Each structure stands twice: as C-alpha cells, then as structure tokens.
Amino acid sequence: MGSHSFEELRSKYGTFVYEGFNAERKETCVYITYNFKIEGLCEFHPTLKVNTENMDVINPWDKGAGREILFSMGLVELVSYWKSACCPKVKIECGALSDEDKRWWKKLYFNGLGEFFYRNSIETDFDSFMEIECTEREKRPYFSVNTSGLNLIPVGGGKDSNVTLELLSDLKEQNRCYMINPGGARSRSAACAGYGEEDIYFVKRTIDRELLELNRHGFLNGHTPFSAVVAFSALYCAYLSGGEYIILSNESSANEANISGTEINHQYSKSYEFEADFRDYVRRNITDKIYYFSLLRPFSELQIAKMFTKIEKYFDVFQSCNLGSKTDVWCAECPKCLFVYSILSPFMEPKRLAGIFGRDMLDAEDMKETFRGLVGLSPVKPFECVGTVSEIVYALSLTAEKYKRESRELPALLKYFSENFDTEKIAESQAMLRELNGEHAVPDKFKKYITEMYKYVSASH
C-alpha cells in the first residue's frame, strides 16, 4: 500500500472530532467506549474495561471527579487516532477546557509525538500542528473525593517496577498493583512480590481495528505517549478505590533526548516534566487528594539495575521487551534487550545473564549499529526506553574491566567498545553510582526508601 504525506492528509481531512463517550457499570466492571471521528473518513470506538471486582468502590464511578477523569482519558486516547491523519483542527463536543488546559494537552501531544514527527519526516511547530476547539471552561467546581489510604503501583513487568515493589514491601497491606492488559511478566512480577489476584487492579484496553486498517492503507503511524494512558487510567482506579498515591518507577534517565541537540524524547510521558505537569493538571481540574510521583526518580537506570540484581527472585519473571511481549519472551534482537543486558552486565555473571536472554548479547555482532547508538558513537539513540549514553558507557566499562580482571576473552561488542573507550579510566570513577538526582517529588513519608536504596547502590561491592 502507498503512503500518504502529512500535508496531503491535513488538506483532505481537516477536522478530528471527540464526540463523547459512553460509560456503564455492569456487575464487576466499568465499560467505557470513546467516540471519535475524522470528518469525511471514518469513526473510531476504542474501549476500556475497568475491573472493579477487587475494589471497594468508595467514590461515584460516573459523577463529579469520576466523570472528569473519564473525559480526560478520552483526551489522552484520542492522540493515537488523530495521528493517522494529523487533522489541523480537533473539535471537542463533550466537555470544556480552559485556555490553560488546551495548552496543557497540546504540550503533551506535541512532545509525546516527537518521535512520531521525526520518523515520519514531519516538520511542524507547536502553534500550527493542532488547534483545539471546544466550549470555554469556567472555574472548575471543587470535587469531593473520599480516600482510603491505598497506594497504587503501576507494574510493567520490568526491573524498575519490581524494584519499587520490593522497596515498598513493608506497606503490602496498603499497596495495590495496577496494570493495563494484565498477564505475562506483569502478573508474574506481582505474584513474585507476594500480591494475589485480590491485590491487583487492572484495565483492559482495546484499539479500534479501524486504525490498524488505516495504517495498512498508508495512513500515518508511530509512537504515542503511552505512559500518559497509564497515568489517567491509574488515576481513575485510584479515584474509585480512594487511593491517595500513584507510585511510579520512572528514573532520572527518562529525561534525556534521543536525538543529539533536540528535545525529541521517546520517553517524554515518563519524564519528570510530564510527571510535574500531570500533578498540576489533576490538582487544578480534578482533585488534590491523589498524588502522582515516581519513587525511583532520584536514581539512574544504572543504579536501578544494581539494586535489581540484589533481588534474584525476579530474574526469571521480569521482562520488558516490546517486540517479545506478545510471546512473553526477550527477543534478544532489539535495542531494549541490548540495553537491559548491557546495564545489568556489571552486576551479574555472564552465564546467568545469557541464560535469561537466550544468548550473550555482548557477542551479538549483528547488533553493532544498535550498539553504536546506545553508547553514543551514533547521533541517534535508539527509540526505546533506554538509559543515558553516559550510564551505558560506564556500565560497559565496568563489565570490560571485570572480564579483564578474570582473564576472560571479551565478547565481540565489548571488544569493539574497548577499542573506542578508555574503559579503565571510566571504570575507576565511582561517581555515577553515588549520584542522587535532586529533581523529584517524593513525599517525605516515602523518602526512607530512597535512603535505603542509596546506601546499597552507592556502596562498593
């Protein structure tokens, strides 16, 4: 199928409409269907099914703050469908937004689509890429929200959320795991941490097949800010159950751009900037009773990797490879797999690590170009949730020096790395494991867990 250009699509399909949503509660679920359309082209009806079987629902599911969150979830869902034709106008017919809110959503869309614009060679700017048209919002009335003292922990199944589950193990009675489309590594990780089915809140999210059909016919496709979907859907579950904290596992490394000299960031909706913006939006428009923050924001991917390798029970259950997610395996062929392998390599035995991934990825000569991007020998860092160039370089330097001390032959990629970097000099510095990022919003009651983790990752072992 031929592909369509950004300019061609925008001139032909001028308006994307958020018509509204239908929500109903049947037995143990809240069913939500969103109604979008591209005028002159098609309609979309994506769905969310919020399972409430394990919840003590203490706030109205479809009134007040609940309805405002449902409306907002539609605003974050719509960008996945808007991007197929990039209509210059977005018309919202089911709710009101202030000028400040419009700017807020445009910022999320524009920054969250940075990779999409780059990969599709789209040149646009913040002011012109989209105009949001809707009723002007007056001052939002105060919404009454009941609280229960619960913590919601979004679980993705990777090393980061597993570290958070372990750090907060003493709060087990107050904790609930949160997942979108449970199963695989997400469910295994929760079980490994000691949480039963009754401790898990989840949402099943379905993409409208019409979008896939458009993609097949050459309409635009690409990355969208998925972590914002996690944020708003977790917010709805926290609201229903009276949860007071949504505790993420995003690290300081998520703030780094993928393209040198730009702000294009695959992980924008995991960044501290989005985290702070989200808190502000929720406080301004919905409630000040639910606080959204990342427990691991003070730490780098390298420090989280070191902490993770202390918790061996998760070694055979964790998984965060997007390509292998459908079959629940590490594909051992993508940038994410190579990154996770590399960042863990200083702290694990090579044989154990290779056993998890199915091969020694530092010997994967077929991945040399990806490797060059990860270590900064190419200007484009892979578009994946991967750490900063500096911490990957430091991790591999530690690994190379470990191999040399043990008189082991360097695998191909590590040998190539050693030819391009002074691994001994880099490895001598322990500064990276002793750093603590001060740009975070961890509440005082959770700071003891930062102290506990810092003591371990900063110590010489």
Side-chain angles (χ1 to χ4, degrees):
M1 297 290 178
S3 60
H4 301 284
S5 73
F6 176 69
E7 292 79 10
E8 172 199 352
L9 289 168
R10 285 169 73 82
S11 64
K12 191 171 183 180
Y13 306 109
T15 305
F16 184 100
V17 186
Y18 178 8
E19 295 180 308
F21 58 90
N22 304 313
E24 58 179 340
R25 190 178 185 193
K26 290 182 180 177
E27 297 177 350
T28 60
C29 293
V30 176
Y31 297 85
I32 308 118
T33 301
Y34 289 98
N35 305 313
F36 306 134
K37 73 177 178 183
I38 296 175
E39 289 187 349
L41 180 63
C42 65
E43 296 182 354
F44 304 108
H45 303 285
T47 63
L48 290 172
K49 184 171 77 170
V50 182
N51 188 294
T52 59
E53 184 176 6
N54 302 325
M55 289 184 196
D56 180 10
V57 177
I58 65 172
N59 286 300
W61 65 274
D62 65 341
K63 295 177 183 176
R67 192 146 190 95
E68 187 66 25
I69 299 170
L70 292 176
F71 167 62
S72 298
M73 285 202 296
L75 287 168
V76 74
E77 283 285 356
L78 77 78
V79 73
S80 295
Y81 299 88
W82 173 87
K83 76 177 189 301
S84 62
C86 296
C87 308
K89 180 188 290 185
V90 171
K91 189 176 180 182
I92 299 167
E93 297 181 339
C94 56
L97 295 174
S98 67
D99 286 342
E100 185 177 9
D101 293 336
K102 290 176 187 176
R103 286 192 298 273
W104 191 95
W105 284 105
K106 281 188 66 173
K107 180 182 179 184
L108 170 60
Y109 299 155
F110 187 74
N111 291 327
L113 290 170
E115 176 186 337
F116 164 79
F117 292 140
Y118 175 82
R119 285 182 177 268
N120 286 284
S121 302
I122 294 169
E123 292 187 12
T124 187
D125 58 63
F126 181 84
D127 291 329
S128 65
F129 89 102
M130 175 194 290
E131 175 194 355
I132 297 177
E133 180 184 290
C134 67
T135 305
E136 181 66 25
R137 171 179 281 176
E138 297 177 3
K139 186 172 174 59
R140 174 65 58 201
Y142 176 77
F143 290 124
S144 176
V145 173
N146 300 310
T147 58
S148 62
L150 294 177
N151 307 314
L152 260 69
I153 305 173
V155 177
K159 64 184 184 337
D160 301 356
S161 56
N162 288 341
V163 166
T164 294
L165 287 173
E166 202 64 20
L167 286 173
L168 300 180
S169 58
D170 64 323
L171 299 177
K172 208 135 155 260
E173 294 303 311
Q174 299 160 247
N175 295 341
R176 298 293 182 272
C177 298
Y178 173 71
M179 305 171 192
I180 293 181
N181 297 340
R186 292 181 289 277
S187 297
R188 289 198 307 271
S189 294
C192 191
Y195 294 94
E197 289 186 8
E198 69 280 3
D199 303 314
I200 298 173
Y201 297 165
F202 65 89
V203 167
K204 289 192 175 179
R205 178 175 180 252
T206 305
I207 301 292
D208 191 313
R209 297 190 65 82
E210 185 67 36
L211 178 62
L212 307 179
E213 191 64 19
L214 287 182
N215 295 154
R216 201 171 68 82
H217 284 85
F219 283 72
L220 298 173
N221 192 16
H223 178 74
T224 58
F226 178 72
S227 293
V229 176
V230 176
F232 278 98
S233 56
L235 178 68
Y236 186 59
C237 288
Y239 161 77
L240 291 177
S241 60
E244 294 180 43
Y245 294 97
I246 299 172
I247 307 176
L248 303 151
S249 306
N250 298 328
E251 70 294 331
S252 62
S253 316
N255 299 324
E256 184 181 79
N258 288 76
I259 310 293
S260 299
T262 76
E263 295 183 1
I264 298 169
N265 183 2
H266 172 84
Q267 301 189 81
Y268 173 73
S269 55
K270 287 186 176 181
S271 69
Y272 180 74
E273 184 175 359
F274 172 74
E275 178 190 319
D277 284 352
F278 183 79
R279 274 194 302 273
D280 181 60
Y281 184 88
V282 172
R283 184 171 55 245
R284 193 172 71 244
N285 291 311
I286 300 168
T287 180
D288 60 358
K289 301 291 187 184
I290 303 172
Y291 191 80
Y292 175 93
F293 75 99
S294 175
L295 184 68
L296 302 186
R297 189 71 70 187
F299 301 101
S300 68
E301 281 273 21
L302 182 71
Q303 292 167 315
I304 295 168
K306 183 176 180 181
M307 190 71 189
F308 176 75
T309 56
K310 179 188 178 186
I311 320 165
E312 293 188 27
K313 67 181 182 180
Y314 293 103
F315 286 3
D316 294 321
V317 303
F318 87 115
Q319 198 269 359
S320 56
C321 165
N322 293 321
L323 291 178
S325 60
K326 289 185 179 178
T327 51
D328 198 29
V329 297
W330 294 96
C331 78
E333 296 178 352
C334 73
K336 184 64 177 283
C337 285
L338 183 55
F339 162 69
V340 176
Y341 196 105
S342 299
I343 208 77
L344 292 174
S345 64
F347 314 115
M348 290 182 69
E349 279 301 304
K351 188 174 180 181
R352 182 70 174 102
L353 197 51
I356 291 170
F357 287 80
R359 67 164 170 164
D360 182 352
M361 295 203 66
L362 292 181
D363 205 30
E365 293 189 75
D366 56 310
M367 297 198 69
K368 187 173 181 179
E369 198 52 41
T370 299
F371 186 77
R372 282 172 49 80
L374 286 173
V375 301
L377 295 174
S378 163
V380 180
K381 189 173 78 169
F383 286 109
E384 269 285 4
C385 296
V386 297
T388 65
V389 169
S390 58
E391 62 190 340
I392 298 168
V393 166
Y394 181 65
L396 289 168
S397 296
L398 290 178
T399 304
E401 291 307 302
K402 181 173 71 171
Y403 269 78
K404 291 172 186 175
R405 282 196 310 273
E406 297 171 357
S407 301
R408 299 189 194 191
E409 184 180 352
L410 295 178
L413 293 182
L414 202 55
K415 184 170 185 286
Y416 171 74
F417 176 81
S418 295
E419 291 167 354
N420 285 276
F421 293 89
D422 185 346
T423 60
E424 183 178 1
K425 184 177 180 181
I426 296 168
E428 281 177 357
S429 169
Q430 289 292 311
M432 197 165 285
L433 285 167
R434 291 175 181 157
E435 290 173 354
L436 203 60
N437 173 35
E439 189 179 51
H440 64 80
V442 179
D444 289 344
K445 68 180 289 186
F446 292 98
K447 284 181 179 174
K448 65 179 181 179
Y449 303 106
I450 295 174
T451 302
E452 174 190 335
M453 179 166 163
Y454 182 72
K455 282 181 181 176
Y456 180 78
V457 300
S458 63
S460 298
H461 293 282

